[in-house]
Structure formats: structure tokens, C-alpha cells
Amino acid sequence: MRGSFMKILLLTQEPGQLKTDKTTLFGNRSCGLIDFEHRKLGNIVTQLTISNLIVRAEKLFYTASGMEHEIDVSDYAGVLLRTWGDEKQEKLALHKILPFLEKKGIYPDNPSDSILMTCSKREMQYAIDKAGVISPKSFIVDSTYLSDVVKLDRAVSQLGNIFQTKSLDATIYPAYVIKADFGTHGAGVRMFKQGEEKEMKDHISSVIEGLASSKFCLMQEYVKPKFTLSSEESSSAVYAGVPTARSAHYRVVMSRQIHNGFEMIGGIHFQRNGSWVSNSHCPVGTLFKEPLSPENLPQGLIQALTEVANQLQLNQFGADIIVDDDGQFYVLELNDGMGISGDILEHQAVPQKYIKSHTERILKSLSAEQHYDRYTPSP
């Protein structure tokens, strides 16, 4: 990278910038970190708010202060996407902006088709199953389950039987987890206990046939995570019996390298009370967190996650994993928009490793010499 530079587009909900002290922040921190790390490599990042972008007549325009400006996309070598819950902006980016840029030959961090598959719980479960990775027992439920009562009852019965083998208190712990096909930050996730099967079936029907229908949902066994309580928590009456709202996850952050396949570039074990959000930088209800390294994971898990990522054609991701009381690791899903901010991940140099990987993959994609010359400044 010495002596050369690239121009990078960053499509985002909210731009961000970090000063050289890395503490003075304007806007979103993850975007600020991306901009900061690219500038360290000599690259130039243009951050664009997605809602201000328009594709028209095979051109990209940006609106600001009532004025419309065309963006010369031929100047750019790569593009990254950062969204976090704004469904309208995410759809615009995935269905219009990112495909347009890909068609123009601009290298995406994760391709738009891959992100769309990752956003779907159904496609995610297909990829996990095809890779043979251990995950909670799941049924992909569609309208045929609603028209065939026996089919739905059989699936419910199987999950109920699994719950019975776990010797969990049915008055505290749920037996079933229902996930809408699309949903982020815990949206569209509901849990039901044994004895609430009718309410669960009504909920499934509303998800599949409702006005905001996704046509599919995931019906999954509940896996009770293994909780780690500090000595202070253990002595507190608040944690007697462990609250059902408490969640515990492993987040494993991985990025594709140009020579050695995927590499784990960071990870975190954290637990929360009252929040299902798995992003490491989310402070809501945080009770416990510690860094993860490959040595904390069972042999073969990194390769298993690689197989799922290859099925989805991802280049970087954050995997959500639960470990039960018996030490069994269950892969829940892979997130295309991996978290890179937060004290632990930043201490693990995740932003630097991520941007280095992305930059190397861009350079590898520039196979023709004249393409590379395009990003080399004149003497």
C-alpha cells in the first residue's frame, strides 16, 4: 500500500469521524473507525448517508441542502455498507445502491446478494444445515404448516420432547423460540413456554399471513445458555434462579484473508439482562463481558463457521453462538454487519485487521494493471 491510495465509498445511516487521538468522535463510532483506519493506510473514504442517495439513468446522485450532485463512481475502488436497524435505508442500499455499484465494478465488502441471504433466518438456517453445523433444532415454517395441522403439531411435539429431556423448570424457561424471517436487534423474536402452544400457533399464523408478512418463520428449540455470574451477582437476591430475560452469547468476528481463508480477528463473551441484542458495542443491560480468542473455542468451530460463510458467500461476519450448561456450542446465525467498536474489540485491533483485510481483497480484485494505475498518484 505504500506509495498508493484508493478511494472508498462508505454507505451508512450516520457518518462518523474520529480525530487523531481516536477519542474525539463525531457521529457513529464504527464509521469513524473505518474512516480512521483507511486514512492510516493512505486511502480516502467518502461517507454517504443512504437516505440521500438516488440511482437514476445509470448514475448515482447525492442530495444535500436541496441540491442534487452526481457522484463519479469510476473514481472508487471499493464500497462498504454499515446499517443498524433502519429497515428503509437498508432496503434502499441492498436493492438499489449496492447492486448499482457492483455492476459498475466497485468491489463490495460483502456482496448485496450475500447480505440479503444473511438477513433471512430461512436462508441462514439452510446454510447452517447444509454445512452440517450444530445449531438449535429448527423448523422452517411456511403456509403449508398452517394448512396441515398434523405437520405443525408434529414439529411442536418434537421440540416439546427435546425440552422434556433438559430437565428445565417449565414455569421459568420457554420451550420454543419463534423468529420472523427478517428481523434485527431481537425484533421478531418471541418465546413460548409449554402450555402456550395455542398462543404460539396464533403468533406463527400472524407472522406468516399478517399484513407485514414474511411468508416464513423459524420455529426453534430453546437452548438455555450457560451463565457466568460474578461473586457480587451470585450473592444478590436479584439473580436467584437466574432471570429468564438474561442472555449469554459468544460473538466471534471473522474476516476472509487473501491467502489463508477466514481468520478469527476478534471475539467477545458477554451477558445481558433484558436485551437480546448481540452486538458487542451495545451497552443495554450488560452484566458481564470478556475477550474471546480461538483457544476459547472447540476444535473445528472456526472451520465450521467458515463453511457457513462460504455457503452465504460472505467475506466478513460476526457469528452469534450460545454455549449450554453441558458445554455444547450452538451456532445461531452469522451477521454480515459485524461489530467492530467497543473497548474489547478495539483492544483486539479488530478495526485495523478488518480494514487491512478489506483493502487487500480490493487490491486482489484489481487484476488488470491499468486498474491498479488508476489508484496510484502521479509523481
Side-chain angles (χ1 to χ4, degrees):
M1 288 300 299
R2 184 172 297 176
S4 65
F5 74 93
M6 293 187 295
K7 292 182 72 175
I8 307 295
L9 277 173
L10 174 55
L11 310 179
T12 179
Q13 288 179 214
E14 177 194 5
Q17 188 173 25
L18 285 169
K19 293 296 186 181
T20 53
D21 61 7
K22 213 174 177 181
T23 58
T24 305
L25 170 68
F26 299 94
N28 177 263
R29 185 168 184 83
S30 64
C31 293
L33 286 165
I34 290 171
D35 177 77
F36 183 86
E37 295 301 332
H38 265 301
R39 280 190 280 119
K40 280 171 55 179
L41 294 175
N43 299 329
I44 299 171
V45 176
T46 301
Q47 300 187 51
L48 299 174
T49 304
I50 297 166
S51 58
N52 292 343
L53 292 171
I54 301 171
V55 173
R56 186 175 63 245
E58 290 300 301
K59 295 179 180 180
L60 183 65
F61 297 90
Y62 188 80
T63 59
S65 303
M67 302 292 290
E68 195 172 87
H69 311 274
E70 182 182 351
I71 297 171
D72 185 358
V73 298
S74 65
D75 286 343
Y76 293 90
V79 57
L80 302 104
L81 173 65
R82 301 298 294 185
T83 60
W84 48 90
D86 189 320
E87 186 176 343
K88 185 176 180 181
Q89 291 202 61
E90 187 172 50
K91 283 184 176 180
L92 175 61
L94 291 178
H95 293 281
K96 295 285 185 68
I97 311 301
L98 194 53
F100 167 78
L101 295 172
E102 290 169 338
K103 193 164 69 171
K104 294 295 183 180
I106 300 175
Y107 182 85
D109 185 21
N110 279 324
S112 55
D113 287 345
S114 299
I115 299 175
L116 286 169
M117 283 194 293
T118 306
C119 289
S120 166
K121 298 292 189 296
R122 175 182 54 140
E123 295 296 336
M124 177 62 62
Q125 195 60 44
Y126 282 147
I128 288 173
D129 291 343
K130 190 170 183 178
V133 176
I134 296 176
S135 69
K137 176 66 176 177
S138 303
F139 294 90
I140 298 170
V141 179
D142 57 17
S143 58
T144 64
Y145 280 78
L146 302 182
S147 59
D148 187 343
V149 176
V150 174
K151 186 177 184 180
L152 181 57
D153 285 345
R154 187 181 300 122
V156 171
S157 177
Q158 285 190 45
L159 295 185
N161 290 339
I162 291 174
F163 180 80
Q164 292 293 338
T165 66
K166 297 181 179 182
S167 301
L168 295 176
D169 187 338
T171 66
I172 296 177
Y173 295 101
Y176 318 97
V177 180
I178 307 299
K179 300 178 179 179
D181 192 19
F182 295 96
T184 60
H185 288 71
V189 178
R190 283 192 61 182
M191 294 181 291
F192 295 87
K193 298 175 183 177
Q194 284 200 316
E196 298 178 340
E197 284 79 7
K198 183 183 184 303
E199 292 89 337
M200 180 177 69
K201 292 175 183 178
D202 290 342
H203 173 67
I204 290 173
S205 179
S206 68
V207 170
I208 295 176
E209 295 184 333
L211 292 176
S213 171
S214 63
K215 306 302 180 186
F216 299 91
C217 69
L218 203 65
M219 182 165 63
Q220 204 168 58
E221 73 166 293
Y222 170 76
V223 175
K224 175 188 171 298
K226 182 177 182 178
F227 301 118
T228 303
L229 299 175
S230 67
S231 57
E232 294 176 354
E233 291 175 335
S234 298
S235 61
S236 171
V238 175
Y239 296 99
V242 185
T244 57
R246 186 180 175 114
S247 63
H249 291 84
Y250 283 46
R251 168 60 69 92
V252 176
V253 181
M254 297 181 62
S255 190
R256 190 185 296 275
Q257 311 302 309
I258 58 173
H259 298 300
N260 303 317
F262 275 98
E263 176 185 323
M264 180 177 172
I265 61 174
I268 186 169
H269 170 209
F270 55 93
Q271 298 178 32
R272 292 197 168 91
N273 194 29
S275 172
W276 284 95
V277 179
S278 297
N279 290 335
S280 58
H281 54 271
C282 177
V284 179
T286 300
L287 301 171
F288 171 91
K289 59 181 179 179
E290 64 181 359
L292 278 181
S293 66
E295 292 72 29
N296 302 124
L297 304 177
Q299 186 176 7
L301 182 59
I302 296 297
Q303 182 57 39
L305 294 174
T306 297
E307 292 294 330
V308 180
N310 287 336
Q311 291 288 334
L312 296 166
Q313 299 179 29
L314 293 172
N315 290 319
Q316 54 86 7
F317 62 88
D320 289 340
I321 297 167
I322 279 183
V323 184
D324 69 12
D325 286 331
D326 296 322
Q328 177 63 61
F329 282 65
Y330 295 84
V331 176
L332 299 181
E333 61 184 12
L334 274 56
N335 298 275
D336 64 277
M338 64 182 186
I340 62 171
S341 63
D343 53 351
I344 288 179
L345 294 183
E346 291 181 46
H347 183 73
Q348 293 173 324
V350 167
Q352 296 95 309
K353 296 172 186 175
Y354 167 47
I355 295 306
K356 179 176 181 291
S357 167
H358 179 234
T359 301
E360 289 175 346
R361 283 185 274 114
I362 293 174
L363 288 175
K364 185 179 179 181
S365 75
L366 300 174
S367 55
E369 185 64 29
Q370 64 267 28
H371 284 198
Y372 183 81
D373 290 343
R374 195 169 89 204
Y375 307 110
T376 305
S378 303

